[in-house]
């Protein structure tokens, strides 16, 4: 039997967000100001190592060498819910000095997702809009949540996500950073993804070397076309449309991974991506999480942090997002106090 994590009463999201933490302000209209702090990378790494034996049971050394029929044959799922911060950056490769995007320079976070893998419940996915307004200590101007990756990497981005959502001090448990090139390689490694764009998507930006040309309807797309889909913004609803496209691609990815017989290809696929992603997940942990995520009958719950409409004077104030070119946005005043509650079954069993 794997060891069980210590049972401690978790503070409420309101209690966590009201902690007197100095740092970045995260703006929400008609809501209390959320205070953020910088994370210490060394401390986070030490905590991660300490939790390894609790979250991931050791593999059975007596296991045979036959090809697995299911992911359950590859790895055991974690013994409790695990949160993973997924950061999609706007650079073609992680080491690229210039992202060849707008604004040009070092990479920004172009997509931010929180995953909660519940061994006894649904996979929960929360989209964190990168255009959310934040203010760094000592700065009078506003920046986008997505630009924090350029400022302070994974540590600062994870700290912002933790305080926005109201996670425990040790969460997110793990992180994964992937470039646009990694997304293409992942899709191509699977062959293609079946998607169903609701409308024709055409866009060109010569400064970025970006050309999007997608037709509507059910189709299978290779990696380059899937990249176009996740980057497309409907001019009338840029943030909402991009979130919807990201959700569609993720659902398609999960369907493809659940294809019968696909589990045999997953270990090699994980290995092939190791040089194209940055993560504190080991290959064994990746398989463990996938065993929990892709088990038969597993459901997926998607949510997005609700945003207020852009202020009418945004252009006059210069409050433009540092990534993506959209007006900075604030959390909607109608947003619930708990932006990302765990499923009832998981909460009752914790």
């Amino acid at each position: 039997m794997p060891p069980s994590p210590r049972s401690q009463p978790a503070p409420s999201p309101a209690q966590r967000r009201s902690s007197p933490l100095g740092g970045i302000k995260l703006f929400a209209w008609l809501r209390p100001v959320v205070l953020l702090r910088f994370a210490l990378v060394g401390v986070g790494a030490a905590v991660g190592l300490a939790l390894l034996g609790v979250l991931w049971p050791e593999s059975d050394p007596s296991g045979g060498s036959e090809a697995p029929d299911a992911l359950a044959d590859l790895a055991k799922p974690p013994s409790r819910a695990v949160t993973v911060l997924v950061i999609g950056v706007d650079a073609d490769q992680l080491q690229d000095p210039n992202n060849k995007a707008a604004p040009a320079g070092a990479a920004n976070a172009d997509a931010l997702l929180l995953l909660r893998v519940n061994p006894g419940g649904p996979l929960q996915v929360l989209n964190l809009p990168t255009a959310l307004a934040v203010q760094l200590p000592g700065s009078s101007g506003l920046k986008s949540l997505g630009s924090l990756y350029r400022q302070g990497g994974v540590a600062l981005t994870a700290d912002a996500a933790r305080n926005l959502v109201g996670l425990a001090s040790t969460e997110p448990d793990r992180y994964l950073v992937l470039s646009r090139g990694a997304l293409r390689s992942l899709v191509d490694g699977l062959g293609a993804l079946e998607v169903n764009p609701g409308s024709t998507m055409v866009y060109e930006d010569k400064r970025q070397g970006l050309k999007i040309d997608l037709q509507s309807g059910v189709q299978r797309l290779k990696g380059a076309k899937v990249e176009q889909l996740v980057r497309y913004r409907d001019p009338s609803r840029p943030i909402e449309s991009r979130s919807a496209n990201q959700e569609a691609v993720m659902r398609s990815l999960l369907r493809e991974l659940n294809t019968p017989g696909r589990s045999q290809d997953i270990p090699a696929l994980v290995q092939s991506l190791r040089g194209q992603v940055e993560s504190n997940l080991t290959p064994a942990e990746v398989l463990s999480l996938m065993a929990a995520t892709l088990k038969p009958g597993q459901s997926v719950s998607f949510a997005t942090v609700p945003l207020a409409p852009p202020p009418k004077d945004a252009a006059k104030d210069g409050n433009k997002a540092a990534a993506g070119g959209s007006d900075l946005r604030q959390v909607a005043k109608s947003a619930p106090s708990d932006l990302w509650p765990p499923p009832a079954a998981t909460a009752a069993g914790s």
Side-chain angles (χ1 to χ4, degrees):
M1 290 287 292
S4 299
R6 293 180 180 178
S7 176
Q8 296 180 346
S12 68
Q15 290 174 324
R16 286 193 285 262
R17 283 199 282 266
S18 65
S19 299
L21 304 175
I24 310 159
K25 293 180 181 179
L26 195 152
F27 291 84
W29 288 348
L30 303 182
R31 288 164 56 101
V33 172
V34 181
L35 298 179
L36 305 176
R37 61 181 174 82
F38 284 92
L40 295 175
V41 178
V43 173
V47 171
L49 290 173
L51 287 175
L52 268 178
V54 174
L55 299 181
W56 280 276
E58 294 183 3
S59 58
D60 184 0
S62 64
S65 59
E66 296 181 2
D69 294 326
L71 277 170
D73 299 322
L74 291 171
K76 295 180 181 179
S79 58
R80 68 155 172 87
V82 178
T83 54
V84 181
L85 175 64
V86 179
I87 304 174
V89 299
D90 59 5
D92 199 63
Q93 301 296 330
L94 293 182
Q95 273 62 31
D96 286 351
N98 192 303
N99 57 2
K100 299 179 182 178
N108 295 289
D110 202 35
L112 290 170
L113 300 174
L114 273 173
L115 311 182
R116 183 184 284 132
V117 181
N118 300 290
L123 168 65
Q124 292 179 277
V125 183
L126 180 67
N127 188 304
L128 306 177
T130 57
L132 188 63
V134 297
Q135 184 177 21
L136 292 173
S139 173
S140 59
L142 301 181
K143 296 180 177 293
S144 70
L145 179 62
S147 70
L148 296 187
Y149 182 79
R150 176 184 287 191
Q151 296 278 131
V154 172
L156 185 57
T157 305
D159 231 17
R162 177 188 308 116
N163 285 271
L164 168 64
V165 178
L167 299 175
S169 60
T170 56
E171 295 182 284
D173 298 297
R174 296 290 186 271
Y175 70 86
L176 174 68
V177 183
L178 70 159
S179 64
R180 288 171 174 166
L183 173 63
R184 296 194 301 269
S185 296
L186 174 61
V187 174
D188 290 341
L190 292 170
L193 292 185
E194 182 178 291
V195 296
N196 184 16
S199 62
T200 299
M201 302 177 182
V202 177
Y203 176 78
E204 185 172 6
D205 186 339
K206 294 183 179 179
R207 294 175 304 167
Q208 300 186 58
L210 172 63
K211 185 175 182 179
I212 297 174
D213 186 3
L214 297 171
Q215 301 302 309
S216 61
V218 178
Q219 55 198 293
R220 289 187 66 81
L221 299 181
K222 302 289 283 186
K225 287 290 188 178
V226 170
E227 179 191 352
Q228 292 181 24
L229 179 58
V230 297
R231 294 182 68 178
Y232 180 77
R233 300 173 187 265
D234 184 328
S236 65
R237 41 193 297 273
I239 296 176
E240 294 78 7
S241 62
R242 176 168 279 201
S243 295
N245 293 340
Q246 291 171 355
E247 178 179 336
V249 167
M250 189 161 186
R251 286 189 183 276
S252 178
L253 179 61
L254 291 172
R255 285 196 303 270
E256 193 66 34
L257 289 170
N258 263 315
T259 302
R262 176 66 75 182
S263 59
Q264 300 182 27
D265 304 327
I266 289 178
L269 181 61
V270 171
Q271 283 294 109
S272 70
L273 293 172
R274 290 200 68 187
Q276 302 185 61
V277 300
E278 176 190 340
S279 180
N280 57 353
L281 281 161
T282 67
E285 292 171 6
V286 172
L287 295 178
S288 176
L289 292 180
M290 294 183 79
T293 300
L294 301 177
K295 65 185 179 182
Q298 176 70 296
S299 59
V300 185
S301 172
F302 284 88
T304 299
V305 174
L307 297 180
K312 295 180 180 180
D313 59 350
K316 180 179 67 176
D317 290 344
N319 294 338
K320 295 291 184 180
S326 300
D327 291 338
L328 290 175
R329 303 281 286 275
Q330 301 182 6
V331 177
K333 64 179 182 179
S334 59
S337 59
D338 193 346
L339 293 173
W340 200 39
T346 302
S350 60

